[in-house]
Amino acid sequence: MIDRIRRWFDSLKNRAVVMVVLLVVLITVTATVIAVSLGQSELEAQARNQLQTHAMIIADDVDEKLAERFDAITRVAAGLTMYEEALFSRAQVILNRQTALNSLFHRLYLINHQGHVQAVLPEDKPARGIDVSDRPYYRQTLQQMTTLISKPIFSRDEGEPVVVVTAPIFDHSQRLTGILAGSIKLSEDSFLGALADLSIGQTGFVAMGTRSGVILVEPFDHPELGRLNDNSPLHQAARRGEEGVTVVPMSSGGKRVVAYRQLNQAPWFVTVSLPTREAFEPIRTLTNVMGWAALILLILFIPLSLRMFSDLLYPLQRLAVQIRALHEGRQERPEPVGGGREIRELERTFAEVREERQAARQELEQKEAYFRSLSERAPIGIIQTDVLGRIEFANPAFEAIVGQPLARIRNQPFLPFIYRPDQEQARIEWERVQRQGEVARGEQRLYDPRTERIIWISYMLAPIQTPDRALGTVCVARDITHELEIEAELRGARARAERILEVLDEGVVMTDNHGFISFANPTSWPFLGSQSTVVGFNLFDLVRVTIDGSDWTFDDFRCHPQVTELDAVMTNRQGQPFEVELTMLRLDGEQAEQFVFVMRDDSERRRQEERLSWEASHDPLTRLSNRRGFNSALASLLQQETREGNPSVVMMIDLDHFKPVNDNGGHLLGDELLRHIADILRSRVRQSDMVARLGGDEFGVILPACGVARARDIAEALRVGIERLILEDNERQYGVTASIGLTAITPADVVAKDVVARADEAAYAAKAQGRNRVIVFGEHDQASEPLIRL
């Protein structure tokens, strides 16, 4: 079929008809595009508004479900204040009483502070004792000492994709005794399961993902908790915290309108999608009508075009018949064939080519003699044989290889010069070259009977043939005996080096310039998730290397001449993470580059540094970040701020009437009040936000990509929560209120203290206007006298 189509297009007549057809199609398409563009904008606006409303409803519903579970598990954990022995001696009984929590979560767990599961609800004996100390949600809970919502993971007891909500449990001395955890099965209809089957219109759908790049809900088949496509501009915008409506291409072709919206309770986002073909159905109907009209026009026009171009190209067919007759000798000189100027020019060109062909034949004979002369002076061996394998010509370089002159070996079969064990294979190779007309390359052994010496050569064997018959072969050979001896010595040196590397304490892996492993000592096998050799595998198929939160590929290492002492995390195919100190060396060889990776277990040092870093950046009383951590996070945000989408917001909170609490109730009561206020702040902000105690009764909150309107709602919720907090001591009640100032980060902000100063000014404006209120910088009375901070 393909050959028939190719022959059909070889005709100039058929090509011309195709060009005319394409012109008609182009005119039709242009008219259709103009008509479509007139109505598409209005239909797109309607689709955008509809999808944006759906996205908002779905996001609010999931937020409400997460908030309900977050608040419930926080209240239960706060009510389990008891010492560790009492808590875990009746752990299962405590869980069995949590009927309210059991209706909200798929499973409940009580975990001790060493990370071992002590009780499970519903009861599951195999699940008891599971070690979750390596889970990120366990480590974050220990670090932040507050209720957290984890990233999506696979549960170890059931292997299901879940989200875990964890709440720390303290004893009466505010010392951590354990963790209450509840898993939410993502596929449950009461949570996200129903979203995959939710349809928008006829073919639209709902999807959900996390800012860390994990798919939560998608209506198509995919691996559970698969990865988002980071090349999609939609996913990139959603993972930056943006919201809106856009039009994106579909993998199956066409485009779709997508609305995306962020969740408040977790760093997730929801997308609602509707193919444009459904939104633009009226436009498609118009396109079909115009397409049928064009088809009818083509059916009428194609026969007329074929007839017209046949008449125009008839002289060219006569010229082809005449050229064939001249070539076969049935005609001595050309005759006029008529037709246009182009055909007459082609006729003259053919006559000139015939004359040039005769001259080229004479020149070829001269070049053959010149080739023989050059071959005699070539530094590599050249030998020519006839169709029976007899030597017709050998240059001096080949005479030196075999140690015999041409006069002695001329007309002798070439095969006896091959080492006897290799003669049969050499004969088969020579016959294949003769028969198939291909070029053969390889290495071969020759034998010199006078010196009993075996000679290794690298050869290229090519046929000598005309279109009608084979004339023989020509072989180019180079003596590589000495090179192979050197290679054998190098292999011995490599073997000795590998034996030394096998006894080192560090893992050592050597790869080629494509990442395929050529050597790995036994120390490296656990890092790669293997119990035996991994030679031949690609290193970066076995492990994922993460440095400073970014995955490094082999190309990232290859662009550096050397990498030393990198703090990296290597995760093998079994999902085991190893914290290592990684060094990469590049070895430049004559044949190709090689790369040596040296890995040393670095987990203990990092645990110590993490503990010291946490203590340096957190307040010991409230376990919130301190001023140092707050300033560092704000400076980092200013460097990363893209200035697109919702702006980030900084909130300053100053407690009202806190001094009387300390004076009348004592500092212990004041400290207790500050800890409760810290719990309120943690529970009412988003998981991506940062809360810090800046000193005394002053707190700060950083809300990335939040927007002023949403930040105001969060601040109002914090103000109400603080106002409702009442502590009793000696039959007296104590409480405070909060004056809160907000400011948005602008494109002009580069220094953290300028942003903090604006938020401080808004907080003092709140105090000046009567306390217990929220003020956004720039919205307080500009006509009032400047505030003086005492």
Side-chain angles (χ1 to χ4, degrees):
M1 177 61 72
I2 295 177
D3 291 339
R4 293 179 61 185
I5 294 175
R6 186 179 293 119
R7 287 195 300 271
W8 192 86
F9 270 101
D10 281 342
S11 171
L12 294 178
K13 173 186 66 177
N14 296 338
R15 293 183 185 181
V17 171
V18 170
M19 291 180 62
V20 173
V21 171
L22 290 177
L23 179 61
V24 174
V25 171
L26 179 61
I27 295 173
T28 305
V29 169
T30 302
T32 303
V33 169
I34 294 174
V36 168
S37 62
L38 296 177
Q40 188 169 351
S41 298
E42 180 63 26
L43 293 175
E44 182 176 342
Q46 294 177 6
R48 284 173 176 266
N49 292 335
Q50 178 187 6
L51 295 183
Q52 194 168 21
T53 301
H54 283 304
M56 179 181 66
I57 293 173
I58 294 170
D60 290 345
D61 179 65
V62 177
D63 264 334
E64 182 179 347
K65 293 176 179 177
L66 285 174
E68 180 183 8
R69 289 161 172 80
F70 186 97
D71 292 341
I73 200 168
T74 301
R75 289 193 303 270
V76 172
L80 296 179
T81 302
M82 61 183 69
Y83 291 106
E84 182 176 0
E85 295 79 2
L87 176 64
F88 291 114
S89 64
R90 51 197 188 95
Q92 190 62 52
V93 175
I94 292 174
L95 278 189
N96 292 340
R97 293 175 179 176
Q98 309 304 324
T99 56
L101 281 185
N102 192 27
S103 65
L104 295 176
F105 291 93
H106 177 63
R107 279 200 168 193
L108 292 175
Y109 305 86
L110 263 179
I111 306 169
N112 61 21
H113 66 274
Q114 287 88 11
H116 294 90
V117 176
Q118 300 298 309
V120 183
L121 186 65
E123 292 191 43
D124 186 355
K125 291 184 179 180
R128 296 178 184 176
I130 291 178
D131 185 2
V132 298
S133 60
D134 60 333
R135 289 291 199 177
Y137 67 79
Y138 170 79
R139 296 182 179 181
Q140 292 175 3
T141 305
L142 291 186
Q143 291 175 356
Q144 301 184 19
M145 294 298 181
T146 185
T147 305
L148 295 175
I149 300 176
S150 76
K151 295 180 180 179
I153 60 173
F154 285 98
S155 62
R156 285 185 172 166
D157 50 355
E158 294 183 310
E160 295 285 347
V162 298
V163 172
V164 180
V165 183
T166 60
I169 302 173
F170 301 96
D171 61 13
H172 298 286
S173 301
Q174 289 301 306
R175 184 173 62 87
L176 178 71
T177 58
I179 295 174
L180 178 62
S183 65
I184 308 173
K185 190 175 179 182
L186 297 180
S187 60
E188 287 183 352
D189 290 342
S190 62
F191 192 56
L192 302 182
L195 293 182
D197 300 326
L198 183 62
S199 61
I200 306 298
Q202 294 181 356
T203 58
F205 61 87
V206 176
M208 182 173 289
T210 72
R211 294 188 198 169
S212 60
V214 177
I215 298 174
L216 296 177
V217 176
E218 190 174 52
F220 310 114
D221 292 336
H222 64 86
E224 291 183 324
L225 300 185
R227 300 294 301 176
L228 292 173
N229 179 12
D230 289 337
N231 295 326
S232 168
L234 168 64
H235 292 166
Q236 293 174 0
R239 292 176 65 178
R240 288 196 301 266
E242 300 178 13
E243 298 180 333
V245 184
T246 186
V247 178
V248 299
M250 294 190 298
S251 59
S252 59
K255 296 182 178 181
R256 56 180 177 170
V257 183
V258 181
Y260 52 102
R261 184 175 178 87
Q262 304 292 327
L263 272 68
N264 292 329
Q265 295 298 323
W268 301 352
F269 61 88
V270 61
T271 63
V272 182
S273 172
L274 183 67
T276 54
R277 60 180 177 79
E278 183 175 336
F280 303 152
E281 180 65 27
I283 300 299
R284 188 163 63 254
T285 302
L286 176 61
T287 304
N288 292 337
V289 172
M290 299 190 70
W292 281 108
L295 179 61
I296 294 173
L297 180 62
L298 289 175
I299 292 174
L300 297 176
F301 192 76
I302 288 176
L304 179 62
S305 300
L306 286 172
R307 178 62 183 175
M308 178 181 66
F309 288 117
S310 295
D311 294 341
L312 289 174
L313 297 177
Y314 177 69
L316 190 60
Q317 296 175 354
R318 291 184 58 197
L319 178 61
V321 173
Q322 186 177 126
I323 290 173
R324 188 178 297 107
L326 290 171
H327 178 71
E328 295 174 354
R330 294 184 284 107
Q331 185 174 332
E332 294 184 357
R333 60 182 61 184
E335 297 177 356
V337 295
R341 182 177 66 253
E342 293 82 0
I343 297 178
R344 293 194 299 271
E345 181 65 27
L346 181 61
E347 185 179 4
R348 287 192 298 270
T349 301
F350 172 69
E352 295 174 358
V353 169
R354 288 187 66 206
E355 297 176 358
E356 293 175 356
R357 182 179 180 184
Q358 296 294 335
R361 181 177 299 173
Q362 297 176 358
E363 184 180 358
L364 182 62
E365 294 174 353
Q366 296 174 357
K367 288 183 177 180
E368 183 177 356
Y370 180 65
F371 169 74
R372 287 293 182 100
S373 176
L374 289 179
S375 299
E376 293 180 353
R377 295 173 175 80
I380 59 176
I382 300 176
I383 181 174
Q384 179 182 337
T385 66
D386 61 14
V387 293
L388 299 178
R390 296 174 299 192
I391 298 174
E392 292 183 341
F393 169 78
N395 70 342
F398 187 81
E399 292 176 353
I401 293 176
V402 298
Q404 300 186 51
L406 176 62
R408 180 176 298 175
I409 63 176
R410 188 191 301 273
N411 296 325
Q412 296 295 322
F414 177 70
L415 197 60
F417 289 92
I418 305 296
Y419 187 49
R420 184 176 297 276
D422 299 343
Q423 287 183 3
E424 180 62 21
Q425 182 63 33
R427 182 187 62 78
I428 295 174
E429 184 78 1
W430 183 83
E431 291 179 351
R432 186 181 64 82
V433 171
Q434 285 272 84
R435 183 175 60 258
Q436 300 181 5
E438 298 178 351
V439 176
R441 295 177 176 84
E443 296 178 355
Q444 190 61 268
R445 291 182 291 180
L446 304 182
Y447 180 68
D448 185 354
R450 298 178 307 162
T451 62
E452 297 184 352
R453 184 169 65 100
I454 296 177
I455 306 165
W456 277 94
I457 61 169
S458 173
Y459 72 91
M460 180 183 71
L461 181 65
I464 302 175
Q465 54 188 193
T466 66
D468 301 323
R469 62 192 180 94
L471 302 177
T473 60
V474 60
C475 180
V476 178
R478 182 171 63 88
D479 189 345
I480 60 170
T481 306
H482 184 61
E483 295 178 8
L484 295 179
E485 292 173 351
I486 295 176
E487 289 181 3
E489 294 178 1
L490 291 176
R491 285 195 296 270
R494 178 187 177 95
R496 291 191 294 273
E498 289 178 353
R499 285 195 292 271
I500 295 173
L501 293 175
E502 287 177 354
V503 300
L504 293 179
D505 292 335
E506 292 83 6
V508 179
V509 176
M510 181 179 294
T511 73
D512 61 12
N513 57 0
H514 297 291
F516 288 94
I517 299 172
S518 58
F519 171 78
N521 67 348
T523 308
S524 68
W525 294 350
F527 294 109
L528 307 182
S530 176
Q531 297 180 354
S532 59
T533 180
V534 291
V535 173
F537 290 88
N538 191 291
L539 173 60
F540 288 83
D541 288 341
L542 299 177
V543 296
R544 177 166 58 90
V545 179
T546 305
I547 299 174
D548 293 334
S550 300
D551 289 346
W552 277 41
T553 64
F554 184 64
D555 290 335
D556 295 323
F557 283 98
R558 191 162 50 185
C559 67
H560 297 282
Q562 180 174 326
V563 175
T564 59
E565 298 181 355
L566 278 179
D567 288 340
V569 176
M570 295 181 62
T571 306
N572 58 34
R573 289 186 298 182
Q574 281 70 38
Q576 298 173 311
F578 291 92
E579 296 175 335
V580 298
E581 182 182 273
L582 186 61
T583 297
M584 183 278 291
L585 302 175
R586 183 197 298 264
L587 304 178
D588 297 324
E590 294 182 359
Q591 301 296 329
E593 293 180 320
Q594 290 186 317
F595 297 83
V596 178
F597 294 85
V598 181
M599 52 204 74
R600 179 183 295 109
D601 192 339
D602 198 33
S603 56
E604 181 61 30
R605 180 185 65 82
R606 295 193 196 180
R607 296 288 79 75
Q608 183 70 10
E609 289 181 355
E610 288 177 1
R611 185 183 65 81
L612 294 176
S613 175
W614 189 91
E615 291 176 353
S617 60
H618 286 73
D619 174 47
L621 176 63
T622 62
R623 297 187 178 274
L624 299 176
S625 295
N626 58 17
R627 183 178 292 275
R628 177 180 178 182
F630 180 85
N631 290 338
S632 175
L634 181 55
S636 176
L637 181 62
L638 289 176
Q639 293 177 357
Q640 300 173 0
E641 187 73 10
T642 61
R643 321 303 186 195
E644 299 178 1
N646 292 328
S648 298
V649 177
V650 173
M651 179 190 306
M652 299 301 293
I653 304 172
D654 206 344
L655 300 183
D656 306 323
H657 311 299
F658 180 72
K659 188 175 183 300
V661 176
N662 271 342
D663 293 344
N664 299 326
H667 288 287
L668 292 179
L669 182 63
D671 290 347
E672 182 69 16
L673 181 62
L674 290 176
R675 282 194 291 266
H676 281 285
I677 290 175
D679 292 339
I680 292 173
L681 297 180
R682 276 191 292 257
S683 64
R684 283 172 170 76
V685 299
R686 304 173 305 172
Q687 189 168 350
S688 58
D689 300 336
M690 177 186 183
V691 182
R693 181 190 179 196
L694 305 181
D697 59 350
E698 185 178 8
F699 296 84
V701 183
I702 300 175
L703 303 99
C706 181
V708 175
R710 185 177 294 177
R712 188 198 298 271
D713 294 339
I714 294 174
E716 184 62 27
L718 296 178
R719 185 197 65 79
V720 172
I722 294 173
E723 182 182 22
R724 293 176 178 176
L725 176 63
I726 301 297
L727 296 183
E728 294 187 1
D729 184 68
N730 294 329
E731 298 183 355
R732 290 188 60 182
Q733 293 185 340
Y734 297 90
V736 295
T737 58
S739 297
I740 303 177
L742 304 177
T743 184
I745 295 178
T746 67
D749 288 325
V750 294
V751 180
K753 68 179 182 179
D754 295 339
V755 181
V756 173
R758 293 201 306 269
D760 267 338
E761 183 176 340
Y764 273 83
K767 281 187 176 294
Q769 295 181 20
R771 295 183 173 85
N772 194 25
R773 64 191 63 231
V774 176
I775 296 295
V776 179
F777 179 80
E779 295 184 3
H780 59 280
D781 187 5
Q782 300 293 332
S784 63
E785 295 183 2
L787 296 173
I788 301 177
R789 183 170 182 174
L790 299 178

